Amino acid sequence: MCGGTGMATVEQLLAVLGRRGDAQASELATWLQVSRPTVTRLLAAAGDQLCRMGKGPATRYARTRPLPSLGTRLSLHRIDEAGAVHPDGELHLLAGGRHWLERVKGESELFEEQPPFAADMSPQGYAGRTFSLRYPELALSQRVADWTEDDCLVALALRGEDCVGDLILGDESLDRYLATPDTHSTPDDYPRLARASGQGHPGSSVGGEHPKFATRVKDRHVIVKFAGNDEGAAVSRWKDLLVTEHLALEAIRDAGHAAAPTRWLDAEGYRFLEVERFDRVGLRGRRGLLSLGAIDNAYLGVRGTWTQATLKLHEARFVSEEDARQSRWLDVFGQLIGNTDRHPGNLAFFTEGPKRFRLAPAYDMLPMMFAPVGTNLVEREYTPQPPNATTLDVWPDAARRALAYWERLTQEPALSAHFRERCAACAESLRAFIQTRRL
């Protein structure tokens, strides 16, 4: 309370909002013990220190937080499938780490933490480890794990021209996108790009821990994973795993589900796996994309398996029943082929509108139970899991496809003999397990 009618100041208004989070003008008048015209005058005088959320009588106000050199709000731009730029709205930075996304079209949204697109667009994984080396002028910590959410926004607003999805945050990143030359590579360039990727060479901020780089081959945008050019046991295992990823995605397509197109090749002692990006269209077009993790963190907070989270998304009418069913199938198939890396960042959805999503093609599907730890091979036990009440409808087909996949690996000449033996043992285990299920 201010103590006297009409004596309130902007500082007192900001202090109240700092404690309350956000409020309507009528609430502010009550708390400050001033008239509505006085509140209107204070709100106008506060300028960019306040954010106006909504319209009409339901309008609420919140205190903003500034970022050095960026201010309290960032423009948001969307690139359509033809490569045209559209204003999508403004992201207002609020006190307490909250964000108000004011959209040009459609419903605006209040996020208690990072908006979901910012979480997915932020540098991470292998590429994230070299981000600060590539852009030392931003003065960000070399360890992305040490970044604050505001550090992520700085990176996106100033060097975020080639992130996952169809959004670009900030005018400087948009300017960089518009100035990007239409360069492309050929597979002959891959060894050079692989060597450069570990030295802070500029590239996309696509996530994932496996060594990779992003490039364009003719009109195809690709993420290229690679295993090094030495003869160590761990490198040999990663070369095997790149082939298994290609064959797993092929098996998913054969089962009638969408999966990212891939191809693998060897050059100069390296093995490369091209994975076509489904958030890119033609030369400069893009598609909106969010990971299951980003959607879940922003709207539900389930933090469970793919099956559990997509079931809740369907109940909330964020995704269709068929997409929830396909997600269950992918979850079961992944478990039965030894994919122990089915985290919420490895399932993604196209954005169809606010809180409306459509399952994207599968990616990062392979038997990660065989993945080395550093330079060491770790032998893990393959343990297929039985169906449960929520996966019973998809388990028989996924199990049949998983068995065919293991059998395919045992016949693949590009895989090492020892690895094929391990796959044969997994095939035998799953075959026996299926027979006991009688489904």
Side-chain angles (χ1 to χ4, degrees):
M1 299 292 185
C2 293
T5 301
M7 299 297 292
T9 64
V10 169
E11 289 72 22
Q12 290 168 330
L13 174 72
L14 295 175
V16 168
L17 286 173
R19 294 191 298 270
R20 302 279 184 169
D22 55 76
Q24 293 180 319
S26 58
E27 294 172 323
L28 291 169
T30 299
W31 294 334
L32 293 171
Q33 291 187 331
V34 296
S35 66
R36 286 290 298 273
T38 298
V39 169
T40 300
R41 176 181 59 80
L42 292 173
L43 292 171
D48 280 348
Q49 296 177 90
L50 288 184
C51 172
R52 178 189 180 106
M53 301 186 295
K55 297 178 181 179
T59 299
R60 301 187 71 82
Y61 299 88
R63 188 170 182 172
T64 58
R65 73 180 194 278
L67 284 182
S69 77
L70 293 177
T72 63
R73 53 188 170 178
L74 299 169
S75 59
L76 189 65
H77 314 274
R78 182 177 60 84
I79 313 301
D80 67 19
E81 295 190 8
V85 181
H86 304 270
D88 202 63
E90 283 191 319
L91 184 66
H92 296 261
L93 316 180
L94 308 182
R98 301 194 302 165
H99 300 86
W100 172 250
L101 178 55
E102 184 177 11
R103 288 191 169 95
V104 172
K105 296 180 180 179
E107 181 184 352
S108 298
E109 289 186 81
L110 176 64
F111 297 100
E112 294 299 321
E113 298 178 345
Q114 268 190 337
F117 63 82
D120 276 349
M121 290 167 63
S122 296
Q124 54 193 288
Y126 181 80
R129 289 201 295 270
T130 62
F131 187 91
S132 296
L133 296 176
R134 284 182 269 146
Y135 306 114
E137 65 275 13
L138 301 186
L140 296 172
S141 170
Q142 289 194 13
R143 278 172 36 94
V144 173
D146 295 335
W147 287 12
T148 65
E149 290 188 354
D150 282 352
D151 289 336
C152 292
L153 291 177
V154 168
L156 295 180
L158 299 180
R159 299 294 182 270
E161 67 273 16
D162 189 20
C163 298
V164 172
D166 64 343
L167 297 176
I168 294 179
L169 185 65
D171 289 343
E172 184 163 342
S173 287
L174 178 65
D175 289 345
R176 292 172 64 88
Y177 164 77
L178 295 171
T180 301
D182 292 329
T183 58
H184 68 277
S185 307
T186 71
D188 291 339
D189 298 315
Y190 287 177
R192 174 181 58 81
L193 293 173
R195 289 187 290 268
S197 70
Q199 302 171 3
H201 181 73
S204 171
S205 60
V206 292
E209 289 296 335
H210 195 87
K212 63 174 68 70
F213 55 85
T215 188
R216 182 168 63 84
V217 180
K218 296 183 179 178
D219 62 345
R220 297 184 303 118
H221 291 263
V222 293
I223 296 167
V224 183
K225 301 181 180 182
F226 62 91
N229 58 351
D230 64 61
E231 300 301 320
V235 169
S236 176
R237 175 62 58 85
W238 279 118
K239 289 181 177 180
D240 284 338
L241 287 171
L242 290 179
V243 176
T244 69
E245 181 173 350
H246 167 74
L247 294 175
L249 295 175
E250 185 177 90
I252 291 170
R253 285 193 296 275
D254 289 344
H257 304 275
T262 59
R263 72 169 188 139
W264 66 270
L265 62 143
D266 292 330
E268 296 185 19
Y270 289 93
R271 177 160 291 171
F272 297 99
L273 178 69
E274 283 183 355
V275 184
E276 288 193 29
R277 295 183 64 168
F278 41 79
D279 64 337
R280 297 294 187 262
V281 183
L283 189 62
R284 297 183 72 83
R286 299 187 178 186
R287 290 192 182 105
L289 190 74
L290 285 177
S291 70
L292 174 63
I295 297 169
D296 181 34
N297 289 339
Y299 299 115
L300 298 177
V302 175
R303 294 179 174 83
T305 64
W306 290 358
T307 295
Q308 292 165 340
T310 53
L311 180 64
K312 293 297 184 182
L313 287 178
H314 172 55
E315 290 175 355
R317 299 185 178 181
F318 287 7
V319 302
S320 69
E321 181 178 3
E322 176 59 18
D323 279 353
R325 189 193 70 82
Q326 290 200 34
S327 299
R328 292 197 302 277
W329 189 96
L330 290 169
D331 200 10
V332 171
F333 178 80
Q335 197 283 318
L336 294 177
I337 69 164
N339 183 6
T340 54
D341 199 29
R342 302 186 320 280
H343 61 74
N346 277 346
L347 190 70
F349 294 79
F350 294 119
T351 55
E352 303 274 274
K355 300 181 184 179
R356 290 296 304 166
F357 308 99
R358 176 170 54 89
L359 185 64
Y363 59 99
D364 281 357
M365 183 67 81
L366 67 158
M368 284 293 288
M369 60 173 284
F370 292 132
V373 176
T375 59
N376 300 313
L377 299 186
V378 178
E379 302 301 335
R380 303 177 180 91
E381 184 179 358
Y382 171 62
T383 309
Q385 296 296 314
N388 58 39
T390 55
T391 62
L392 189 59
D393 61 331
V394 298
W395 197 93
D397 182 68
R400 180 171 61 87
R401 300 286 182 169
L403 177 58
Y405 171 71
W406 284 122
E407 292 172 340
R408 171 73 175 83
L409 294 187
T410 66
Q411 303 299 317
E412 174 52 56
L415 299 177
S416 64
H418 175 67
F419 193 83
R420 291 198 302 270
E421 291 174 3
R422 294 295 310 277
C423 294
C426 292
E428 185 56 38
S429 295
L430 182 56
R431 185 180 300 107
F433 190 75
I434 291 172
Q435 291 173 351
T436 65
R437 298 298 102 187
R438 299 186 182 278
L439 295 173

